[in-house]
Each structure stands twice: as C-alpha cells, then as structure tokens.
Amino acid sequence: MSEEQNIMAPKYNPQEVEQGRYKFWVDGKFFEAKDDESKEPFTVVIPPPNVTGRLHLGHAWDTTLQDIITRYKRMRGYDVLWLPGMDHAGIATQAKVEGKLREEGVSRYDLGREKFLERAWDWKEEYASFIRQQWEKIGLGLDYSRERFTLDEGLSNAVKEVFVTLYEKGLIYRGQYIINWDPSTQTALSDIEVIYKDVKGAFYHMKYPLKDGSGHIEIATTRPETMLGDTAVAVHPEDDRYKHLIGKKVILPIVGREIEIIADDYVDMEFGSGAVKITPAHDPNDFEIGNRHNLERILVMNEDGSMNENAGKYEGMDRFECRKQLVKDLQEDGVLFKIEEHEHSVGHSERSGAVVEPYLSTQWFVKMEPLAKQAVELQKTDDKVNFVPERFENTYLNWMENIRDWCISRQLWWGHRIPAWYHKETGEVYVGREAPEDIENWRQDDDVLDTWFSSALWPFSTMGWPDENSKDFQRYFPTNALVTGYDIIFFWVARMVFQSVEFTNRRPFKDVIMHGLVRDAQGRKMSKSLGNGVDPMDVIDKYGADSLRYFLATGSSPGQDLRFHWEKVESTWNFANKIWNASRFVQMNLEGFKYEDIDLTKKKSLADEWILTRLNETIENVTRNIDRYDFGEAGRHLYNFIWDEFCDWYIEMAKLPLYGDDEEAKQTTRSILVVTLDSILRMLHPFMPFITEEIWQHIPHKGESIVTSTWPEVRAEYNNEQSSKEMQRLVSIIRSVRNVRAEVDTPMSKEIKIMIKANDASIVDELERNKIYLERFCNPETLSIATDLDVPEQAKSAVVTGAEIFFPLEGLIDIDAEIDRLKKELDKWNQEVERVQKKLSNDNFVNKAPEHVVQEERDKEKDYLEKQKLVEQRIKELEEVS
C-alpha cells in the first residue's frame, strides 16, 4: 500500500477513473454467466434497443436499474445472466436506410429486395457497434458471449415456429379489415403504435338528397373526403324521425351514386342529426355495420394517402388537398350548409408522425381473445407476474381484458418475412416452417412481421427455444426480472406474457419493474420539437457515468417520472468527490496496513462501536430496499451514512487515535476504517461501479475485482445499541454547540464556556467517559457536566435528549433575542408533539403498523414532550430575569 504508484490521485477525475475500467471487467469475463450448478441462477434480458442510433436518457435509466439489480445479485452469490441484444426495428430502420438511399438518388425498388437487405445489414453492423460503445460508457455488466439480435438465425427460427403453430391452431388468420395505415411509411400499424393528439378540426354538415325528390337527410362528418366511398346512410331503427325513410335511397352528392338508408342499433339517436354516413372501407365502425348489412366496400385512397380512381375528379390529390377542394365544391352545390369548429382526438403514427388513416386492407392478424384469456388466468395463480408498483397490474389486466385482434403484417422488406406462400395458378395459401418443395410454382408473401412479434418472444427465444433441451433455456428461463417503462406495458410486456404462457406454459419473468419517463426540469416530455432532449453521453463526458447512474437510480420513486436537472447530476458528482476524498484519507493513513492486519477484537472507542452499529443498520436498510426495487430509498440510506456519518463524523473522530501515540488504538481504527469503507464500496458498487472499483483496488481487499466480491452482511457482533445512543447524544451536543456559535457569530477557534446539565447521573458518567470528543469538537474554555449546575441567569441554551446545554452569555447575546429564539424553538416542539400525538391517536396506524414502528413514534412523543418542557422552563427563567 505504500508504493507510490498505488496512491490515489489527489483529485477525483471521473474520466480518468472510468478510462479502461470496462475493458478490465470484460477481459476478466466477470459478467459472463458461469452455469455454476452450485449457485441459484438469476436472469435478466435487456429490453433490446432499436438498432437505429443513439441511446437516450430513458435507455440509460432503464439499463442502469438492470445493472444495479444484476451486479447486486452477482454479489449476493447468484449465477447471473444479463443477456444483451438489439431489435431490428422494422419501420424505423427501413426508414433510415431508405433516407440514406434517397440521398444517393435511388430507391429500394431500384436496388431490389436482396440488395436493399444487404444495405440494411450494413447499417445494422455500423449502428450496433455504436450501441455497444454506449453500453460500455454507461458501464453495463452484460454477458456479450450470449448477445442476440432479433433477426439472427436462432430467433428467426423461433419466429417461424410461433407463426406456423399459431396458424395451425387457427390463431393467426388472413383477412380484410380496417387497419391503422401510415401513409408516410406505407405500412400497417398496430393499435398501440397510434398516438392520439387533440387537433382543431371541424364538423361538416351536409344534405344528402332523397332520390324521390321528397327532401333530404342531414349528416355530419369530420372527414368529408371519405364520403366519396359512402355506401349507405344509417339511422336507429327506433328513431321516429327516420322510420319512414328506412329502405329509401339517397343520391350521394358529387358522386351521384344511389345509396340506401339502413337501420342499425349502432347509431346514437342523440348525437348530431341521428343519421350517419357509412364508409365501410375507411372507418372501423362502418366496416362492422357494412358486414352486418352486406354493403359494398369502396376504397377511395391509395396507400400513400392520395385519392384513387374511385375518387373521380379528385384522383391524384393528396387526401387533405382533396378535403379542401371537396368542401369548396359542396358549398357551391349547396350541399354543405354548415361548418362547425371541433377539437377532436386524431391518431398519428408513433413512428412517422403522419395522421393515421383507417384503411381497408388484407393483412395477417393474431386472434387475441384466447391468448389474452390464458395470460389473465395466470394472474390468479401463485406463478403470476408481479408488477412493481402493484398498481400497474390493473393497467395490464384492463388492456388484456379489452384487447382487439393484433395486426401483425407490415409492408416492409426489413424484418421477418411472413412464412406464407401463394400458388401462382390456384391462389392456394401455404404456411410452413420451410418453403414449398416446388418453389418455382409459389410466390412468398412480400410482407414482414411486426417488430413486436419477434420482441414478444425475447425472454425465451434468446435462450435457445424452440429447442427446449437448450442448456440456457433449461437453466435460465423463466427470467427473474424485467425492467421497463410503464409506457411499454401494451407494446411489449403484455405480448411477452401471452406468448410465453402459450409456448412455454410459464411466465416469462417473475417481476416486472416499472419506471416512468425522463422529463425535463419543467416536467415536459423530452422531444426533438421542443429541443429539450439530453444526450446521456454528454452528461457522462461532463460528470462521469457514476454521477449520471446515481442520479437516475435514486431520483425517482418506483413507477414515477423523473425530472432531469443538471444541478442534481452535479450534486451526485459532489457526492462521488466526497467519497474519493474520504477514501484517499483512509488510504493515506494505512501506512502498510494489509488485509490480513484487520483485527476488530481489541478495545474499541465509542466512535468505533457506533460506526459499526450504523454500518449494520445501513447494510440492512440498503439490502431491504434493493430487494424491493426501491433504489431511491436505498440510495438515501447510503448517502446519509456515507456523507453524514462516515465522512463528517467518524473520519473526524478517527483522527484522534490516528494522530495519537496508542499503536493498538491506531490499528483498531485502521481496521474499522478499512472494514467500513470496504462495505460502503461494495454497497455502492451497483450504483457507481467505476469509482468503487478504482477505490477498492487501492485499499486492502480479497479478490480480483469488486464485481465478484460478496455483498456485505450484517454482523451481530457489531451491534452496540448503547454506544449508538451515546454517540447520538454526543453528535446532538456538538451540533448544538456549533449552531449556537453560528447564531452568535463566534468561530470554532474561540474558546467558550460550556455547561451541560444532565437529567441523571448515568448521563453524566457517559459524557465524562467521552469527554475527549466534546473537548476536540466543541473547543470549550471550561466544560462542566453535572446534574445540578449553578447556571447563570443570562445564558444561551440548547436542549438535547437527556440533557440541557448552557452557554454563559457575558455579552455574547442579549436576553430578549434569546427569548425570541427559544419561543421559535418551542413552536417547533409544539408542532412535533401535535404531529406525533395525532398519529398515535389514529387507531388504523396503531393497530395496523408494525409494533416497532408504533414504538418508535411513542419514543418520539416522550422525547419531544421532554424537550418541550425544558424549553418552556428556560423561557420562563429568562423572562423572570429580564
């Protein structure tokens, strides 16, 4: 330890600390699952990021929480597998590659499918390396030997197996339905890929003339361009206003087509005119009505959102351009008689931002009801998926119980091509794991599967399934924990559950830990349009990965959103710097001390016994909170112990023996410094892996890396409740002295008279035994400790548990000001007494809270009442003097 090259740097520099550290871990294979049968496995699969670019703060948060869990479990003795991987991100990646091609003046059709896919794979390789670099920079303990990609051969086989099996069971089918269509990317979207935004629009009120010339019927629409595809007008069968019109014909304005007035219970008699236009090819509800009444389905748009040949003279116009012209024409014809401003919710593509068009299309679908039912039933068993926080289970169940069939086909080239072939002559459909033998007579479906179809298999397809004899599948599945944002419950969590139940008969993970969104300091969602996004790599460049990680991990309660503040990241850097300086002090005072020299059997000081007791309590609190995934609370306990108790108190008190002449006391102090710092570093390691590894390598330790060290355990022999109470009293006295000095503007360098009036003789004995600390940290001119002191009438005072401290004023302060201060202090104790008594008078609290919690409140009440009484007495005494 005395070698010069092993001395810690004088200043904490995160860039220097973190440089090269990750390579040391990866080269050492510390993150690889060992398949050690003597250890219980613990598995987490990374939510695969899209292989399209840079990770954002949400990714950094999500992966940091996973890293905390897996590093912690590894230290707890588990055989940990944290499996990394990436998602091919069908729509997003294809859009990026096509954008690149446009810059070159070509399209994917110019290249053809095979050449285009070669370019897409090149893109994947380039950007996958960027993502790995960012994982490295954050410090993620991933097992790269098992890294997967949603388009690799194994996962592709799993996708085909699932598709074919579901098809053979009748749970995948092909049919015409109204789907969500993105005219920008020209592909179908699932319901949850549609983001609804409030948009200012209008209701357009029109008159459809009756064929017999006897009048007209009024309808209203927000999308007048779709009227070109109307095939009926519907009214409620019980609506007296329209009963006589049912079965009659109206003339569709502009088009001139005859359409029938039909009766259907779907129509709301109270809404608008009570009559609605029916466009089966452009509205999901109209589609259902059209099926019931055998109506024609007329598409009036192309896939790019332009009007087609069925739109007549509007053919070729963009849908919104058509709307403007059509409105103008209808007004001129006297058909459109009112335009009413109307704000309504409009679906937009989650991928491109384009307004989604309800569109009649032939697509592949998953029949969801039986799959969802199995997943819902799972939640009634002991093998349910545990949601953290629990409230998200209701969110999940509500969606599963009201689920619609899932449109899984996408009009893309990048992705898992649908394993369906169509006979070139007969049109017969063949679905199989392999292509037909006479392939020359068949044409494969051009579409690919929704990206989420393969992601839904991620927890088990990455383990070698469908080979159920795969070693990893047998050992590491089901997984133990999934960490993800609450905004992805429907996209991914639900789909993983129902696919896992269907194909493995087991839940995919035991716990799913939900976090929120990262928002800016004002609470706004980060977005390109607002320009308020923050690149986590920029934060790391400025403050280091450890500071970012600790801020992300501890800045929010489970399931809640997190607000990003640069100031808070800076404060976590200050925390890291505090740890660095304290650790350097320890190292500089070891003087050749080795791990084998640790000895806690010799006589200990009060500070020694207290810090070991508090270490035990901190280990217990941090362990409990990490086990329940409350990383913010775990971080709070760590912060308070490290900053307040170890750095600010124990290290200062340790200087007394370290700088003294008692060699045995020095060795004991060094032992306790090493033991405590070692435990601090190991508890802190999952949160701040870089700085803890660096410091750990500079203090006496066993093992090659802190990554593979063991989690600290509570040691019963460290507990000393009496020393803890005595130390708390000492700290209270020292703080009171410092506060009084600050109030009267008296520096610590100036000696003052201090008188401590104890409640009983045992406290006098206690304070006399530990007088060395009072003399060192209070700097008294004289120090009197007794149960019966002759206190000057003019003295400043402070109250601590079991004692009252007096400071003879002698010109330091005026009595009136002291009375005012004491009255403010009395107000504080009055409020505390009222609060605790209100709590203890609550039967729900007293009867339902754990006994130790109730007892803590009773102890507080006793303490507060005592302090309240002493302050009241002092006010009375001073008022008599003045």
Side-chain angles (χ1 to χ4, degrees), residues 3-19:
E3 296 179 12
E4 187 176 347
Q5 64 268 25
N6 203 32
I7 297 297
M8 291 172 61
K11 292 184 178 180
Y12 170 56
N13 183 325
Q15 284 70 38
E16 291 181 3
V17 167
E18 295 169 13
Q19 183 67 37

Side-chain angles (χ1 to χ4, degrees), residues 753-775:
K753 294 179 180 179
I754 301 174
M755 308 174 73
I756 302 176
K757 183 179 180 181
N759 286 6
D760 55 57
S762 64
I763 294 176
V764 174
D765 292 341
E766 168 194 315
L767 295 178
E768 287 288 350
R769 282 198 312 274
N770 298 299
K771 203 170 185 178
I772 184 175
Y773 297 116
L774 295 175
E775 291 172 340

Side-chain angles (χ1 to χ4, degrees), residues 12 14-15 18 64 137-138 536 539-540 542-555 564-566 568-577 687-691:
Y12 170 56
Q15 284 70 38
E18 295 169 13
T64 292
K137 204 164 183 177
I138 298 170
V539 183
I540 292 172
K542 188 171 184 179
Y543 291 110
D546 286 328
S547 295
L548 174 63
R549 289 168 58 107
Y550 195 82
F551 161 72
L552 291 172
T554 63
F564 181 85
H565 297 268
W566 281 103
K568 290 186 177 179
V569 180
E570 184 177 11
S571 72
T572 62
W573 182 93
N574 289 332
F575 179 44
N577 187 55
F687 297 84
M688 291 179 159
F690 292 102
I691 190 174

